[in-house]
Amino acid sequence: MSSARRCSKTACGRPAVMTLTYVYADQTAVVGPLAIHAEPHAYDLCEFHSERLSAPRGWEVLRLAADPSMAGPSTDDLLALADAVREAARPIAPPEPVHPRLADGGMRETARRGHLRALSSD
């Protein structure tokens, strides 16, 4: 089975290109570009069914056109990805001692269990 999203209409196997959501408070059916993730209260529709959609009497159908500039990743997405890769590639700094007396040699750690430490003085 393909991982591409299909039209929500029964017996339609075409790929989804638009998403339908209902705004019950405003009695509006909104047909817009395909949502990034499948939502439980939204319906994915193919081009044929999105064009032929009708709403109940008294409801308004609001059709949002797809923005062609939003088809691919934006420069912000690419910069965020590059920053994440740079951050992951940085070496991990050694942890600093928690207790100030550990740093100057006044105490030493003798045992450790989870986040607890046993310290002894010299």
Side-chain angles (χ1 to χ4, degrees):
M1 181 171 186
S2 170
S3 64
R5 289 167 32 199
R6 300 283 176 205
C7 183
S8 297
K9 290 289 192 176
T10 305
C12 182
R14 289 177 231 151
V17 295
M18 303 292 272
T19 298
L20 166 68
T21 54
Y22 291 105
V23 182
Y24 293 98
D26 298 333
Q27 293 184 339
T28 305
V30 181
V31 179
L34 188 63
I36 294 172
H37 301 287
E39 299 290 332
H41 301 289
Y43 303 92
D44 296 335
L45 299 175
C46 65
E47 187 174 357
F48 176 77
H49 286 116
S50 66
E51 291 172 357
R52 297 198 45 167
L53 177 81
S54 62
R57 184 175 298 151
W59 282 54
E60 179 183 357
V61 176
L62 180 63
R63 296 182 190 276
L64 304 174
D67 186 5
S69 67
M70 297 300 289
S74 69
T75 55
D76 290 340
D77 294 337
L78 295 174
L79 289 174
L81 181 60
D83 289 341
V85 169
R86 279 190 215 104
E87 182 69 29
R90 285 193 183 126
I92 298 173
E96 295 182 18
V98 176
H99 196 278
R101 291 187 67 188
L102 284 174
D104 63 2
M107 299 184 84
R108 63 183 178 88
E109 184 177 328
T110 59
R112 182 179 206 158
R113 182 172 288 176
H115 67 282
L116 302 175
R117 298 178 183 206
L119 304 175
S120 68
S121 60
D122 292 337

